[in-house]
Amino acid sequence: MNTVKIIIKKRNNIPLSQKEIEYIIKGAVEHTIPDYQLSAFLMAAFINGLNDDETFFITNAMLKSGQTLVLSNIQSIKADKHSTGGVADTTTLILSPAVASLGVPVIKMSGRGLGFSGGTIDKLLSIPGFKTDITVSDALNLAQKSNIVIMGQTKDIVPADKILYSLRDVTGTVESIPLIVSSIVSKKIATNSDVIIYDVKCGSGAFMKDINSARSLSEKLISISKKFGKRAAAIISSMEQPLGNNIGNSLEVIEAIEILKGNYLSSDLYNLVRVLGGVTLFCCQKATDIQSGSEMIDNAIKSGYALEKFIEFISQQGGNTDIINDYSLLPQSKYKKEFLANETGYISKLDAQTIGMASVETGAGRKQKDDYIDFGAGIIINSRIGDYVKKGDIIATIYSSSQQKLNSAYNEFISAVEINRNKPPKQKLVIDVIV
Ligand code: URA
């Protein structure tokens, strides 16, 4: 087979065969195809798209580039939730122990933060002692023992994604629905849960800026997952403003613990957890419908079982469980600066992407892939879109261990906020549920 001929075929918008796609993925993993040819292939795929067969072939070839977890020792229906990435999206830390406490095993491989959007692994690593770098066999033992394990991405699972994603990141080819689908679904199939719930973010702080593209991404995620024999569903949720109030690693851990303790149950963050949980329990046949599944999640929180499961999870992965009652044991930043309302009125904009970028400026995220993370840094926002504020009210507090980073985060944050005399229309949090 000839790489140039395959690139030209895709450039001319002619569908590729399974063999041609497998040849490209094998060449990527074995380093027999150079980055410049892979980049040209990715750009041709970005511009001309991949049809459903090609999307399945590339997903399957990526899956086969590495190992698959064998979960046959765990009899119950296993669930996994995947968010397409957002700002202050701490749902995994609340949903996973809640669902696990209800008897549904959660075996997750999560990622690090990517650009302005946070990552579960970075949040967990802000807990002193917590280990995400665990072997596949340890992960299986932990899952069998306690129904919950969250591991970092290993080089043995879907190595093709690591290679292709790092090229996509620097060649302007990230926001392609088939490439996103193959990247996400290959990893989900490799970790091998029976039920996969996709939280597809839509809005300023998401890859999908509008509802039509969010819907088509959701439909493709579901249909390709089903081709692998999985039960899949998608929730399309708004990412116009940060989901939670806290942005940044240890700050988000604190917000998750507060919700697990039964506080802030009317927040958007918890409302999304309820819906995700309801859909998960329904698809896992633990609830007769989504509403009763959401009520089971409420009970898991109110009874304290979800918090107990979270403590067990932290402990079994080496983390210090004293953080639950003493947040001062979590990393904290030395400097803080308040952002005040400069006029009286309704908050009409709290732009998620700009706030995510301001959070990266504090040191809570990475600009380069090997950047050091300031685990205590980030932003706490006191308001939501539609809230009435008076001039001088504190809208947000920005935290950083560096005075210089604090100032640049503050400068970035300024353009995220708009205040208006007229009350803006209410924002819909859950835009659609596709089961
Ligand atoms: N998340 C992934 O894992 N892959 C993508 O391509 C986009 C988001």
Side-chain angles (χ1 to χ4, degrees), residues 82 84 165 168 179-180 183-184 187 207:
H82 181 89
T84 58
Y165 198 93
R168 285 169 58 207
L179 295 179
I180 294 176
S183 164
I184 294 176
K187 288 177 286 191
F207 288 129

Side-chain angles (χ1 to χ4, degrees), residues 1-3 6 17 19-21 23:
M1 240 176 259
N2 179 312
T3 310
I6 298 175
S17 68
K19 289 226 152 46
E20 286 164 330
I21 288 180
Y23 175 82

Side-chain angles (χ1 to χ4, degrees), residues 98 101 259-266 270 274 294-308:
S101 75
I259 289 182
L260 287 164
K261 286 179 179 172
N263 301 320
Y264 310 112
L265 297 190
S266 59
Y270 183 63
R274 285 187 88 242
S294 296
E295 285 159 16
M296 288 167 74
I297 297 288
D298 290 339
N299 291 336
I301 300 281
K302 288 178 185 156
S303 63
Y305 290 144
L307 180 63
E308 259 174 45

Side-chain angles (χ1 to χ4, degrees), residues 118-357:
T120 299
I121 290 300
D122 293 331
K123 295 171 204 182
L124 288 170
L125 287 176
S126 76
I127 300 172
F130 196 95
K131 284 193 227 30
T132 57
D133 188 11
I134 44 182
T135 63
V136 165
S137 70
D138 283 348
L140 294 181
N141 287 338
L142 296 181
Q144 265 178 302
K145 221 168 83 192
S146 69
N147 265 355
I148 177 168
V149 63
I150 302 183
M151 59 197 287
Q153 273 160 18
T154 79
K155 61 179 180 9
D156 306 322
I157 293 179
V158 197
D161 183 57
K162 198 160 190 245
I163 295 164
L164 294 188
Y165 198 93
S166 51
L167 284 177
R168 285 169 58 207
D169 209 17
V170 292
T171 55
T173 52
V174 169
E175 299 92 344
S176 145
I177 289 182
L179 295 179
I180 294 176
V181 168
S182 58
S183 164
I184 294 176
V185 177
S186 59
K187 288 177 286 191
K188 295 290 117 184
I189 304 301
T191 37
N192 216 355
S193 286
D194 309 289
V195 168
I196 311 167
I197 308 300
Y198 295 106
D199 180 10
V200 176
K201 303 292 184 189
C202 174
S204 122
F207 288 129
M208 300 295 120
K209 305 287 180 207
D210 62 87
I211 179 64
N212 288 339
S213 43
R215 198 161 272 132
S216 54
L217 175 59
S218 304
E219 281 159 5
K220 289 277 180 285
L221 286 167
I222 294 175
S223 67
I224 299 292
S225 304
K226 282 186 175 164
K227 280 199 180 202
F228 285 95
K230 302 296 180 187
R231 174 81 166 96
I235 283 112
I236 301 178
S237 65
S238 171
M239 193 33 79
E240 287 300 340
Q241 60 183 329
L243 179 59
N245 292 335
N246 294 13
I247 304 133
N249 301 292
S250 65
L251 296 176
E252 292 187 45
V253 169
I254 293 171
E255 190 169 18
I257 296 172
E258 281 297 308
I259 289 182
L260 287 164
K261 286 179 179 172
N263 301 320
Y264 310 112
L265 297 190
S266 59
S267 62
D268 278 357
L269 173 57
Y270 183 63
N271 276 325
L272 184 57
V273 168
R274 285 187 88 242
V275 178
L276 289 165
V279 173
T280 307
L281 294 170
F282 171 63
C283 291
C284 289
Q285 299 165 21
K286 286 269 177 193
T288 47
D289 54 33
I290 297 172
Q291 180 55 31
S292 57
S294 296
E295 285 159 16
M296 288 167 74
I297 297 288
D298 290 339
N299 291 336
I301 300 281
K302 288 178 185 156
S303 63
Y305 290 144
L307 180 63
E308 259 174 45
K309 187 53 78 181
F310 183 74
I311 295 170
E312 186 184 0
F313 157 65
I314 298 294
S315 159
Q316 74 171 6
Q317 292 196 217
N320 181 354
T321 54
D322 293 342
I323 59 147
I324 303 292
N325 294 314
D326 184 356
Y327 298 147
S328 73
L329 296 171
L330 286 164
Q332 287 173 15
S333 284
K334 198 161 147 203
Y335 302 107
K336 67 175 183 179
K337 188 165 178 164
E338 286 165 347
F339 182 92
L340 308 182
N342 60 359
E343 57 185 310
T344 295
Y346 294 96
I347 299 204
S348 55
K349 189 172 107 177
L350 275 174
D351 187 74
Q353 177 163 349
T354 312
I355 295 172
M357 281 172 353

Side-chain angles (χ1 to χ4, degrees), residues 297-433:
I297 297 288
D298 290 339
N299 291 336
I301 300 281
K302 288 178 185 156
S303 63
Y305 290 144
L307 180 63
E308 259 174 45
K309 187 53 78 181
F310 183 74
I311 295 170
E312 186 184 0
F313 157 65
I314 298 294
S315 159
Q316 74 171 6
Q317 292 196 217
N320 181 354
T321 54
D322 293 342
I323 59 147
I324 303 292
N325 294 314
D326 184 356
Y327 298 147
S328 73
L329 296 171
L330 286 164
Q332 287 173 15
S333 284
K334 198 161 147 203
Y335 302 107
K336 67 175 183 179
K337 188 165 178 164
E338 286 165 347
F339 182 92
L340 308 182
N342 60 359
E343 57 185 310
T344 295
Y346 294 96
I347 299 204
S348 55
K349 189 172 107 177
L350 275 174
D351 187 74
Q353 177 163 349
T354 312
I355 295 172
M357 281 172 353
S359 167
V360 172
E361 287 297 326
T362 65
R366 298 179 190 82
K367 288 186 180 168
Q368 313 267 328
K369 81 176 168 31
D370 294 321
D371 276 356
Y372 149 87
I373 290 237
D374 178 356
F375 284 113
I379 303 168
I380 297 183
I381 302 184
N382 301 326
S383 313
R384 308 288 296 160
I385 292 176
D387 283 358
Y388 185 75
V389 289
K390 292 207 185 97
K391 186 173 176 177
D393 281 355
I394 302 168
I395 291 186
T397 308
I398 304 173
Y399 297 86
S400 179
S401 299
S402 142
Q403 191 75 59
Q404 195 194 342
K405 287 183 179 171
L406 190 72
N407 291 335
S408 61
Y410 183 92
N411 291 337
E412 181 83 44
F413 192 85
I414 294 172
S415 63
V417 182
E418 275 177 16
I419 298 174
N420 208 297
R421 281 178 182 279
N422 303 317
K423 193 169 175 153
K426 199 166 162 35
Q427 303 253 318
K428 212 168 170 191
L429 172 65
V430 174
I431 300 164
D432 206 354
V433 177

